[in-house]
Amino acid sequence: MASGCAVSVAGGSKWLLQFKHQDAREGLAISRLPPLPSYIFVDHSWMRISGIPGLDESYLPRYIGIAFGFLIILNHVFSASPATPAQLRTEALGMCLAAFSTALPYLGRFLEGANATDRASIPEENKQIFVMSNDILDTQKGDLAWASYALLRNTNSMSVIIAVNDVICVRGYWNTPEDKDASKDHLLNWFNSQIQKTGFFDLKDMLYFPQGSESELGTLLPKGTLSALIQPVIRTSDPVVNFATKNEGFILLASSVKYAYSEKDRAWIRAVANKFLHKISKDL
Amino acid sequence: MFTSSPSLKMEAIGCLFSRRSLSAFPILPPRSRRRPFQSPSLVPLMMSSSPSSAQEAYKGPRPRRDLVGDWVSNNNGLVRSLPIYVGGLSLLVVLLNRAFSGIALVTDASSSQSRADILTLSLSVTNLLTGLVWLSIRPKYVSPVIPCGVECMRINSDIADLAIHELRWVWESLSSTTCCRSLVVIYGGNCFLQIGIAAESQNETGVAMVVDVHKLLQGSLCRSAIGSGKQSYLANLSLYPGRSELPFLPSNTQSVILQPLGDRGIAIVGGDIIRGFTNLDQSFSFDFEAFSLLV
């Protein structure tokens, strides 16, 4: 059952009040909605062996595979007598197992619930900077500062660029060509020129480089980048103004670890990018 | 660490205080849940002046497709149990090889054969144990619960358009990214936002229950969260007696985040999955508190 009435809003607009009563029949309520997630990620990091600092336990099969594979080779080389067929079979099986054990951590990375490894140290060539375009409103500064802070704090990122409608915010660890007495304007000009070369304003979908190297994305990314993600700020069609999808900018994140951004991370990055729809412009 | 300017904060908080009673809110037109990033119709769109923003295809580098990663993701169950099969089979092969090759069953350290067998057996056991670990840390599949209530969209009309835009963005972010199904934002003694699924009013059929702000803020849950200034995550709401302080949420709400907004407000985020909010969800919910002081 639904009821409606008109309510006045300051400014003269009227909004229709509607309450939809959820149907009592199970399943009908969700028939209008997209499929719900069927599982949750449970953090099992507490189950890991916490003994040796700096040792990632998920890599133990690789270490054992390499070590024992090497020992098998040594055993074969230093055998007192020529290897029998039985020994050759065992050694062949052993080498296959060593290769498989070495590959196990790589396969495990893609399993559901796998978490990114701990953050690597920040490469020394980079320095921490935080610059924004000039002549923007305080509220826009606040949005950019909050978004850059939230993304750096909550994801495995060391660097972020938010570029929306001619406004740019750069934060985190970067290496720029002249890093001694670079003024703010000089830095902004450098970043703007680099961004124009990338073509990210033409993106329509997220780009995620889980093992991206710096050479793939030009000189923009800081040294030591092992993962990069570019999320465009896309406005979908608006029936009032009759626009199709339009790229209003992008958010670029760089990380010093591989496979830094999980599916959940990417969902939140999309949500943060959506914050800047229509809001940021030097003309506002 | 971001800090806002005092003048900006005063202006923002000033906006929070300029409103009338709850009964005069306007209601936004109903919108589908779970359709993220729809453009709100409040603010006229601004054109970008950048020439590169024309409708051209992106021509830059694209990530290489990881076939192995795709295969593993699509065959999760098989890959989890693969090390067990490989380890078990190779263990059997080593024993059979030794048995059918006429080798004595006694392990002799001076024998190359025995050393090779021991190394291979160790690798087999390593694979077995890895497979067992992978199976034991399989993510738990939990079905979401359909919230019992009515759809609700109430937002205070007296707050600034910017604040309305922010609140709607918060709701869209939470509802599309997390298991959030209900959101209530209280500030300065007033309810700014009540959206999502709400409990049905006892007086009127099909109408969402109005939030009794005074009673809510006097309850132990809110007083504790606001007093401590820290987020409170109730992963399994049914276990908490304080559940009765949140009657406006659907009766079968599974988990709740109580996020204080400074010392004058609180955001209540209700979810439909037990322990459904991850650490990342909680972190971003906490960060909403930081920016909300600018709204």
Side-chain angles (χ1 to χ4, degrees):
Chain A
M1 182 177 76
S3 61
C5 68
V7 179
S8 325
V9 179
S13 304
K14 289 190 178 179
W15 304 95
L16 184 63
L17 168 64
Q18 285 187 349
F19 286 119
K20 294 180 184 177
H21 193 311
Q22 191 172 29
D23 192 287
R25 284 179 290 167
E26 188 172 338
L28 184 64
I30 61 171
S31 64
R32 296 184 291 270
L33 303 173
L36 296 167
S38 59
Y39 61 86
I40 56 171
F41 289 121
V42 180
D43 184 11
H44 285 276
S45 59
W46 58 270
M47 288 179 61
R48 297 170 69 182
I49 303 168
S50 54
I52 306 172
L55 175 66
D56 187 354
E57 294 81 15
S58 63
Y59 281 81
L60 268 179
R62 177 170 292 175
Y63 302 148
I64 293 173
I66 292 172
F68 281 35
F70 180 67
L71 289 174
I72 290 175
I73 293 173
L74 276 184
N75 179 63
H76 178 81
V77 168
F78 291 108
S79 294
S81 54
T84 61
Q87 182 178 339
L88 286 174
R89 284 193 292 269
T90 299
E91 288 173 349
L93 179 62
M95 293 307 296
C96 291
L97 283 174
F100 185 71
S101 299
T102 305
L104 280 178
Y106 175 69
L107 296 177
R109 195 200 300 268
F110 302 107
L111 294 174
E112 288 170 3
N115 296 320
T117 55
D118 295 335
R119 290 196 193 200
S121 59
I122 302 295
E124 290 181 0
E125 298 90 344
N126 300 322
K127 70 166 189 176
Q128 194 171 4
I129 62 175
F130 182 17
V131 292
M132 280 190 218
S133 297
N134 300 317
D135 303 326
I136 58 176
L137 299 176
D138 285 346
T139 52
Q140 295 163 354
K141 284 184 187 174
D143 285 339
L144 291 169
W146 174 83
S148 55
Y149 167 74
L151 290 170
L152 287 173
R153 190 181 107 99
N154 296 322
T155 64
N156 285 321
S157 303
M158 63 174 176
S159 322
V160 61
I161 290 179
I162 302 174
V164 183
N165 286 336
D166 301 328
V167 173
I168 182 175
C169 171
V170 182
R171 194 169 184 175
Y173 290 88
W174 294 90
N175 65 308
T176 53
E178 295 97 31
D179 60 350
K180 289 285 169 88
D181 296 315
S183 65
K184 176 186 169 186
D185 289 337
H186 179 83
L187 281 174
L188 286 173
N189 288 337
W190 185 82
F191 277 106
N192 275 318
S193 64
Q194 293 299 311
I195 287 169
Q196 292 301 325
K197 294 177 192 173
T198 60
F200 290 153
F201 284 106
D202 300 325
L203 276 175
K204 295 293 180 283
D205 301 303
M206 176 189 283
L207 275 188
Y208 176 37
F209 296 85
Q211 301 182 82
S213 64
E214 298 156 27
S215 59
E216 286 182 294
L217 294 172
T219 56
L220 175 62
L221 293 181
K223 294 255 186 257
T225 297
L226 297 178
S227 297
L229 184 145
I230 303 98
Q231 169 64 52
V233 179
I234 295 289
R235 174 160 39 82
T236 51
S237 59
D238 189 312
V240 175
V241 193
N242 198 26
F243 282 129
T245 55
K246 183 179 182 299
N247 185 316
E248 294 194 351
F250 65 89
I251 293 178
L252 182 147
L253 292 164
S255 174
S256 56
V257 297
K258 291 184 181 179
Y259 298 94
Y261 304 107
S262 64
E263 201 172 318
K264 183 67 117 172
D265 289 329
R266 283 176 262 159
W268 271 112
I269 293 167
R270 276 194 292 269
V272 172
N274 202 44
K275 181 177 174 56
F276 296 100
L277 286 174
H278 330 296
K279 288 193 68 181
I280 300 290
S281 170
K282 285 187 175 179
D283 298 328
L284 284 176
Chain B
M1 177 73 185
F2 170 74
T3 55
S4 62
S5 64
S7 60
L8 175 62
K9 190 180 285 191
M10 290 305 294
E11 176 186 334
I13 295 178
C15 291
L16 297 176
F17 284 97
S18 58
R19 58 207 165 274
R20 293 195 289 270
S21 68
L22 194 67
S23 59
F25 329 154
I27 312 301
L28 296 173
R31 298 176 58 191
S32 300
R33 288 193 296 122
R34 296 279 203 156
R35 279 202 288 164
F37 324 124
Q38 285 194 355
S39 49
S41 55
L42 291 173
V43 179
L45 301 171
M46 299 300 295
M47 294 290 292
S48 168
S49 58
S50 168
S52 63
S53 65
Q55 303 299 311
E56 299 174 8
Y58 170 68
K59 296 181 180 63
R62 288 196 175 269
R64 292 183 299 271
R65 193 168 170 192
D66 196 335
L67 296 174
V68 174
D70 291 343
W71 180 79
V72 172
S73 300
N74 295 331
N75 297 279
N76 213 280
L78 172 65
V79 174
R80 280 188 190 273
S81 52
L82 191 61
I84 291 181
Y85 293 127
V86 169
L89 192 63
S90 56
L91 193 115
L92 192 65
V93 167
V94 168
L95 294 176
L96 288 176
N97 178 58
R98 197 173 176 89
F100 288 107
S101 299
I103 302 169
L105 293 177
V106 177
T107 303
D108 182 4
S110 63
S111 161
S112 300
Q113 175 69 46
S114 296
R115 288 195 296 268
D117 285 340
I118 288 171
L119 290 171
T120 305
L121 283 174
S122 302
L123 286 169
S124 302
V125 169
T126 300
N127 280 280
L128 271 171
L129 292 177
T130 302
L132 288 173
V133 169
W134 282 5
L135 283 178
S136 68
I137 63 171
R138 186 197 302 257
K140 185 178 179 183
Y141 287 74
V142 179
S143 300
V145 172
I146 301 172
C148 295
V150 295
E151 286 193 28
C152 169
M153 295 178 197
R154 286 181 176 142
I155 189 164
N156 194 312
S157 63
D158 294 320
I159 58 177
D161 284 346
L162 182 65
I164 293 176
H165 182 99
E166 292 292 333
L167 288 172
R168 289 178 64 174
W169 169 74
V170 169
W171 164 246
E172 287 209 352
S173 299
L174 287 172
S175 60
S176 62
T177 313
T178 72
C179 62
C180 169
R181 293 294 166 266
S182 313
L183 176 64
V184 173
V185 177
I186 309 291
Y187 197 89
N190 291 282
C191 182
F192 272 26
L193 176 73
Q194 183 183 9
I195 196 169
I197 304 293
E200 189 175 6
S201 170
Q202 295 172 352
N203 301 326
E204 257 182 286
T205 307
V207 174
M209 183 183 293
V210 174
V211 178
D212 186 343
V213 176
H214 178 74
K215 191 175 177 184
L216 172 67
L217 294 177
Q218 293 301 314
S220 59
L221 287 178
C222 289
R223 277 195 292 118
S224 172
I226 294 175
S228 65
K230 293 181 183 176
Q231 184 187 92
S232 177
Y233 177 37
L234 310 181
N236 189 350
L237 187 61
S238 61
L239 300 178
Y240 292 87
R243 167 70 184 89
S244 58
E245 299 174 15
L246 308 171
F248 46 87
L249 292 179
S251 57
N252 57 350
T253 297
Q254 300 295 295
S255 52
V256 165
I257 289 178
L258 297 158
Q259 176 60 56
L261 304 175
D263 55 359
R264 298 297 305 273
I266 190 164
I268 300 163
V269 185
D272 61 356
I273 300 177
I274 291 179
R275 292 185 297 276
F277 293 105
T278 64
N279 290 336
L280 189 62
D281 297 337
Q282 294 173 59
S283 295
F284 269 102
S285 298
F286 171 74
D287 283 334
F288 286 150
E289 185 261 345
F291 98 89
S292 68
L293 296 177
L294 302 177
V295 173

